[in-house]
Amino acid sequence: MTRSLRDLIAESRRAVIFTGAGISTESGIPDFRSPGGIWSKMKPIYYDEFVGSEDKRRESWTRTFSGVMRWTGAAPNPGHYAVARLVARGKVASVITQNIDNLHQESGVPAGQVIELHGNASYATCLDCGLRHELEVLKQSFLGRGEIPACRDCGGIVKTATISFGQAMPPDKMERARAETLDCDLFIVLGSSLVVYPAAGFPLLAKENDARLVIVNKEPTEQDRYADLVIHDSIGAVMTAAAPLD
Ligand code: NAD
Ligand code: ZN
């Protein structure tokens, strides 16, 4: 199996990698749908609630800074590093990710080649002017003085740079992901149950456009039947074999 993933990669001129929560479980971050997943423990805070209520903002920041979300502070694992090698070798043009954990960048993929469909939980931005705010700075004033983060420039509401439930997908990222999908001849899905749309539409778009489709996921997905190669195994081992160290 793995040998043929290596072959498909060798034959590809331009590949795209699409990742979901499953690539980060080997870094200790629970995925979405398994029993220990975060939303089985607490209710998500919707975008409108966050913007409309100071109490909800306090609750949200309490979750962020208590570390209960477990999306920050983890380190990349062999799956992330194998992906980074394929990018460094010029095989993979872009990594489209549903993850918000920043681990592709931390494993060495240049930020410009990571397309984050659901944003990034490792920093925050002002909802009014877009200014970036570092979590460490916000954490000090929140925990020390109980200050709910506000923009140091314009006073606007500050939120982690993630796409919340009820918030629109970023149109620029969606457009880039679509263009990359249409430009590739090999589309590799790593660790996504492929049920969260519109993101889950990209593998089928690639397939319709005559790219080869590979799905690496521990459990079957609804899109397995469209794939040229399906591997139900752990991403770290599969990708280390598919993209070995020199
Ligand atoms: P998902 O939880 O729906 O599916 C993850 C899939 O990965 C599962 O089918 C599981 O069988 C598989 N998997 C888990 N560990 C694996 C491993 N080591 N090797 C191979 N397969 C493995 O995830 P999704 O499709 O990404 O959707 C969940 C949503 O929640 C996403 O939109 C994402 O934004 C968000 N989320 C992000 C993170 C993160 O940033 N790390 C974590 C949890 C949830
Ligand atoms: Zn601002």
Side-chain angles (χ1 to χ4, degrees), residues 20-22 24-26 29-33 71 98-101 118 191-194 196 217-219 233-235:
S24 296
T25 58
E26 293 172 55
I29 304 175
D31 65 19
F32 195 57
R33 256 146 264 280
W71 283 327
Q98 297 170 271
N99 295 344
I100 57 177
D101 55 28
H118 296 164
S192 173
S193 57
L194 297 176
V196 182
N217 205 65
K218 267 187 185 162
E219 297 164 330
D233 208 339
S234 296
I235 294 161

Side-chain angles (χ1 to χ4, degrees), residues 17 25 41 43 54 72 85 90 108 114 132-133 142 144 148 152-153 199 203 206 238:
I17 288 190
T25 58
K41 295 189 186 134
K43 258 179 70 182
E54 195 177 283
T72 51
R85 285 197 292 281
V114 183
R132 176 174 166 139
H133 294 250
F142 184 75
I148 296 174
R152 62 180 181 275
D153 259 19
V238 170

Side-chain angles (χ1 to χ4, degrees), residues 45-174:
I45 295 170
Y46 278 69
Y47 182 74
D48 287 349
E49 296 177 318
F50 184 92
V51 172
S53 150
E54 195 177 283
D55 280 352
K56 286 292 178 189
R57 289 201 286 283
R58 185 175 292 109
E59 187 181 342
S60 171
W61 286 110
T62 301
R63 288 180 183 184
T64 299
F65 294 136
S66 67
V68 68
M69 311 302 281
R70 293 170 66 184
W71 283 327
T72 51
N77 68 60
H80 294 105
Y81 287 117
V83 170
R85 285 197 292 281
L86 292 174
V87 173
R89 289 171 192 165
K91 269 293 169 192
V92 167
S94 299
V95 179
I96 304 171
T97 188
Q98 297 170 271
N99 295 344
I100 57 177
D101 55 28
N102 204 46
L103 293 183
H104 287 300
Q105 292 91 325
E106 282 175 45
S107 69
V109 181
Q113 281 169 279
V114 183
I115 304 173
E116 294 173 315
L117 299 177
H118 296 164
N120 189 311
S122 70
Y123 63 97
T125 50
C126 170
L127 294 179
D128 290 335
C129 75
L131 185 71
R132 176 174 166 139
H133 294 250
E134 301 309 323
L135 293 187
E136 267 318 303
V137 177
L138 303 178
K139 186 176 181 174
Q140 278 176 21
S141 41
F142 184 75
L143 295 182
R145 296 190 292 280
E147 285 171 16
I148 296 174
C151 180
R152 62 180 181 275
D153 259 19
C154 77
I157 291 176
V158 169
K159 181 181 161 305
T160 54
T162 49
I163 304 298
S164 296
F165 286 89
Q167 189 175 4
M169 300 284 283
D172 52 329
K173 304 279 172 61
M174 289 298 285

Side-chain angles (χ1 to χ4, degrees), residues 199-212:
F202 290 115
L204 289 181
L205 181 65
K207 188 64 200 160
E208 280 164 15
N209 195 48
D210 287 335
R212 283 165 159 173

